Amino acid sequence: MTSQPRNRRSIGQLDGAHKATALLLAMQKPLADRIIRQFQDSDIRDLARAAVDLPPIGPEALERLVAELAKEIDSASTVEGSTNGASALLAGIVPEDEMSEILGEIAGQPSSKVWKKLASVSEDKVKDFIATEQPQVAAFLLSKLSTEKSAAILAKLDDELRFDISARLVQLKPISDVAIRLLTERLGSELFQVSDASGIRSDNHAMLGAMLNKLDRQQSGAILDRLSAELPKDAQKVRKFVFSFEDVVALTPEDRATLFEQAPTERTVLALRDADPGVASVILDSLSPRVRRLVVSELSNVVKVSPQTIADARRSIGDLALVLAERSIITLPSAEPLAEQRV
């Protein structure tokens, strides 16, 4: 049976994405390619969706589009949306695997890229996520990871949940595409910290944590105390992204040594200038004998260093600790107020 052609619509009835798509499909491929390369990923997806359901647009309508948008086109032939049209639009602009991903999403298929991204998320973050999910969902997520990473995450769970998920794994059944798509959307918003069309990070807890790290301890402490009293769950999430130079004393000796092995020696010297004697002593004890001798020697030299330079050096070490924790190289203290953990 021959499908009926889609009804023509006036140019005024088309939205911006459909108008742009019609023009791009009518242009010479090299010109369209140069334009599309300037688009954001979200814009490319909008174009692909528009290319699939674009109604027939005749030559006269195309001419009106050209006049309206002042764009150069190559021909005035009728263009109509189709999967082939979307493929032709994206060919040569995005890699083939990404093009398949985009067209698959439009067709309603769940994204596969999300599992590659999940593999790069820290074990602690995945553990925290699946601990709040149904065991069947948790088992499905672990099945998408390498056995090494899945085992490491299982080891971090309590005994009852670990067994429950293991039992679900051996009896794991296929999950519908709709359920997978909903799950991948949640992973994107809760684990991957994706940005929306305006470029704003969706993880507001991380954003606030980054801000607090740039405030003095009295100011950040006051905000965290207020959050703990009024929004305790949010405060706990924010604390995971808050870490200062002085908080290194709450790390285990092994993690503290790992942190300062990664930190440039000159940065450590700057951070230790005018530092609290107790904090300085703990940090010096974490250094290798050779580095410690070098640092002590440098600190013995009277050098004028601006407070801002010292503050920047300390902040960089705090930032490094957060990065290492994100990679599961070190473990930050628990989400309890760090000031209460100090020795």
Side-chain angles (χ1 to χ4, degrees), residues 156-280:
K156 295 175 180 289
L157 301 173
D158 61 65
D159 292 345
E160 184 176 352
L161 182 56
R162 186 185 307 123
F163 173 78
D164 201 352
I165 292 176
S166 299
R168 302 299 178 104
L169 273 169
V170 296
Q171 298 178 324
L172 192 61
K173 297 179 181 179
I175 296 179
S176 70
D177 285 350
V178 174
I180 295 175
R181 195 157 57 248
L182 292 173
L183 176 60
T184 57
E185 289 175 1
R186 288 193 53 226
L187 287 171
S189 63
E190 298 187 28
L191 286 186
F192 303 148
Q193 302 175 8
V194 295
S195 299
D196 60 20
S198 65
I200 299 175
R201 288 170 61 94
S202 62
D203 192 332
N204 295 329
H205 301 95
M207 180 175 63
L208 177 58
M211 292 179 184
L212 296 183
N213 284 329
K214 298 183 184 301
L215 299 178
D216 65 45
R217 292 187 63 78
Q218 184 175 1
Q219 292 172 326
S220 62
I223 292 173
L224 284 172
D225 289 344
R226 184 73 177 270
L227 276 178
S228 298
E230 300 184 14
L231 299 168
K233 291 184 178 179
D234 289 296
Q236 188 174 25
K237 292 179 180 179
V238 171
R239 287 187 189 280
K240 294 180 180 180
F241 300 99
V242 177
F243 192 86
S244 70
F245 173 73
E246 291 81 1
D247 294 327
V248 298
V249 299
L251 295 172
T252 65
E254 294 79 10
D255 284 346
R256 197 160 49 242
T258 299
L259 171 62
F260 284 97
E261 284 173 3
Q262 301 280 342
T265 302
E266 61 273 15
R267 193 65 54 83
T268 301
V269 171
L270 285 172
L272 285 174
R273 289 198 179 277
D274 299 326
D276 177 90
V279 173

Side-chain angles (χ1 to χ4, degrees), residues 31-263:
L31 177 58
D33 288 357
R34 288 199 298 271
I35 295 173
I36 295 174
R37 285 194 178 97
Q38 307 303 315
F39 293 161
Q40 300 291 331
D41 288 347
S42 59
D43 296 327
I44 293 176
R45 282 171 164 73
D46 289 341
L47 288 176
R49 290 189 177 90
V52 169
D53 62 14
L54 187 71
I57 300 177
E60 292 182 2
L62 280 172
E63 289 178 3
R64 290 197 300 274
L65 266 181
V66 173
E68 178 187 340
L69 303 175
K71 296 290 186 179
E72 180 183 359
I73 63 173
D74 175 61
S75 68
S77 59
T78 299
V79 293
E80 182 175 358
S82 67
T83 301
N84 289 337
S87 299
L89 187 67
L90 300 181
I93 304 299
V94 297
E96 289 188 8
D97 58 342
E98 186 174 347
M99 181 171 69
S100 299
E101 185 80 13
I102 292 172
L103 295 177
E105 288 179 10
I106 295 171
Q109 300 170 1
S111 173
S112 59
K113 271 189 172 181
V114 67
W115 310 124
K116 295 179 182 179
K117 291 182 180 180
L118 184 62
S120 65
V121 177
S122 71
E123 295 161 5
D124 286 332
K125 289 184 70 174
V126 178
K127 183 263 293 182
D128 291 342
F129 180 84
I130 67 175
T132 63
E133 296 294 319
Q134 293 292 329
Q136 184 74 11
V137 175
F140 176 76
L141 282 182
L142 291 184
S143 74
K144 293 294 184 178
L145 297 172
S146 68
T147 53
E148 291 81 5
K149 185 151 190 166
S150 296
I153 294 169
L154 274 177
K156 295 175 180 289
L157 301 173
D158 61 65
D159 292 345
E160 184 176 352
L161 182 56
R162 186 185 307 123
F163 173 78
D164 201 352
I165 292 176
S166 299
R168 302 299 178 104
L169 273 169
V170 296
Q171 298 178 324
L172 192 61
K173 297 179 181 179
I175 296 179
S176 70
D177 285 350
V178 174
I180 295 175
R181 195 157 57 248
L182 292 173
L183 176 60
T184 57
E185 289 175 1
R186 288 193 53 226
L187 287 171
S189 63
E190 298 187 28
L191 286 186
F192 303 148
Q193 302 175 8
V194 295
S195 299
D196 60 20
S198 65
I200 299 175
R201 288 170 61 94
S202 62
D203 192 332
N204 295 329
H205 301 95
M207 180 175 63
L208 177 58
M211 292 179 184
L212 296 183
N213 284 329
K214 298 183 184 301
L215 299 178
D216 65 45
R217 292 187 63 78
Q218 184 175 1
Q219 292 172 326
S220 62
I223 292 173
L224 284 172
D225 289 344
R226 184 73 177 270
L227 276 178
S228 298
E230 300 184 14
L231 299 168
K233 291 184 178 179
D234 289 296
Q236 188 174 25
K237 292 179 180 179
V238 171
R239 287 187 189 280
K240 294 180 180 180
F241 300 99
V242 177
F243 192 86
S244 70
F245 173 73
E246 291 81 1
D247 294 327
V248 298
V249 299
L251 295 172
T252 65
E254 294 79 10
D255 284 346
R256 197 160 49 242
T258 299
L259 171 62
F260 284 97
E261 284 173 3
Q262 301 280 342

